[in-house]
Amino acid sequence: MYATDLYENRPYLRFQKMLRHFLVPFFLLVGLTAYSQLRQRVEVGGGIGMMNYTGDIVRNFQLSTGKPAATVFYRNNISSVVSLRSSLTFGSIAASDKRNPIDPAALQRDNSFKLSMMEFSPVFEYHFLDWRSGKNPIRFTPYLMAGGAIFLFTGNKEKPKDYSNMQVAIPFGGGAKFVVNPYWYVAIEIGIRKTFFDYLDNVSDGDPALKNYRYGNPYDKDNYFFTGLTISHTFYEIPCPSNPYK
């Protein structure tokens, strides 16, 4: 057996390599953004939640299919209503025809999968209320978010088609934010990741004439969700005093 064969048979090594190539640009982007925005109000935070999947095995969002997930992020509050958030999210998704059969053909197909996921997503957030103002007695706001994402996954031992384990998605969703005190914010959020990929569940098009039941709908791409509770710490701008003797 060649060294390349040993490498291909160890998915965690491939995932480790992808992780290194992924984390370096992420922290570089965050560092450059933070440096350029030192005089603006920024936040850093993290949270926990769950990931869900929809596709050929599970057609609709179901809480019962959720798997643990966690996220860390950096947020630049561009204005009182718009923020730019860069997040790194880890989690897993899974589904089984035995557990959630959608029809008799699904029982015959008897497919299942479990993937480890990692996502980098810069998104814009739009807040409907001036929630940071101390004049408001209830300091919260609903918000919407949308942007772009790159995600990595590993776990499919057999591939019916040659594809990359790095894909792109469009995240969008919404939630609500609450001010705990001037330095700490709490948020709840749910967002879908609309992908252009149909092999998260390893099920896509096939030849129905073969009656192997290993096919799905190639025109209905797979998606995944992140639902979570986050907390963030705010850093305020400290104005420099001007020289009165100029």
Side-chain angles (χ1 to χ4, degrees):
M1 182 178 290
Y2 294 103
T4 54
D5 296 329
L6 289 172
Y7 181 82
E8 290 297 327
N9 290 329
R10 295 182 179 178
Y12 69 93
L13 291 177
R14 297 198 305 271
F15 191 65
Q16 207 174 50
K17 182 179 179 181
M18 289 188 293
L19 189 67
R20 290 197 301 268
H21 289 295
F22 201 71
L23 288 177
V24 171
F26 170 73
F27 287 111
L28 182 61
L29 174 63
V30 169
L32 290 175
T33 307
Y35 180 78
S36 64
Q37 302 294 339
L38 284 177
R39 294 185 56 83
Q40 295 189 18
R41 185 181 300 177
V42 298
E43 301 172 40
V44 293
I48 57 174
M50 66 178 182
M51 279 187 174
N52 296 77
Y53 140 91
T54 59
D56 291 301
I57 298 178
V58 178
R59 295 288 174 81
N60 302 309
F61 179 86
Q62 297 180 13
L63 289 174
S64 61
T65 64
K67 299 296 179 183
T71 186
V72 292
F73 60 86
Y74 167 87
R75 179 182 288 121
N76 174 22
N77 297 309
I78 300 172
S79 70
S80 60
V81 295
V82 177
S83 299
L84 174 61
R85 184 185 76 200
S86 297
S87 304
L88 194 60
T89 305
F90 303 86
S92 61
I93 57 174
S96 170
D97 279 327
K98 279 187 176 179
R99 184 176 179 182
N100 305 97
I102 57 176
D103 53 36
L107 288 173
Q108 293 291 331
R109 181 174 59 195
D110 191 20
N111 193 60
S112 64
F113 76 98
K114 183 176 181 180
L115 299 179
S116 297
M117 306 281 291
M118 182 176 68
E119 174 199 272
F120 169 61
S121 57
V123 300
F124 285 98
E125 301 172 335
Y126 180 83
H127 309 93
F128 291 94
L129 303 175
D130 187 10
W131 62 301
R132 297 190 193 92
S133 174
K135 299 178 182 179
N136 296 333
I138 302 177
R139 300 180 66 183
F140 84 100
T141 182
Y143 71 95
L144 297 176
M145 68 86 177
I150 299 174
F151 66 93
L152 305 175
F153 64 94
T154 184
N156 284 335
K157 297 179 181 179
E158 297 180 2
K159 295 182 178 182
K161 184 179 179 179
D162 187 23
Y163 55 74
S164 172
N165 284 45
M166 177 184 293
Q167 299 289 332
V168 298
I170 299 177
F172 58 92
K177 294 183 181 180
F178 307 85
V179 176
V180 178
N181 60 46
Y183 292 95
W184 293 97
Y185 302 154
V186 172
I188 53 175
E189 179 178 295
I190 180 171
I192 183 176
R193 275 60 174 170
K194 184 68 177 175
T195 79
F196 305 90
F197 185 66
D198 199 35
Y199 284 97
L200 288 179
D201 50 22
N202 247 6
V203 177
S204 187
D205 57 344
D207 186 359
L210 297 178
K211 299 187 183 301
N212 59 4
Y213 302 101
R214 302 289 293 179
Y215 52 86
N217 183 356
Y219 304 104
D220 185 14
K221 305 303 182 185
D222 299 335
N223 303 308
Y224 65 99
F225 300 75
F226 175 74
T227 306
L229 174 69
T230 64
I231 184 168
S232 60
H233 181 73
T234 306
F235 296 88
Y236 287 89
E237 170 187 341
I238 303 177
C240 295
S242 58
N243 186 350
Y245 301 104
K246 283 185 177 180

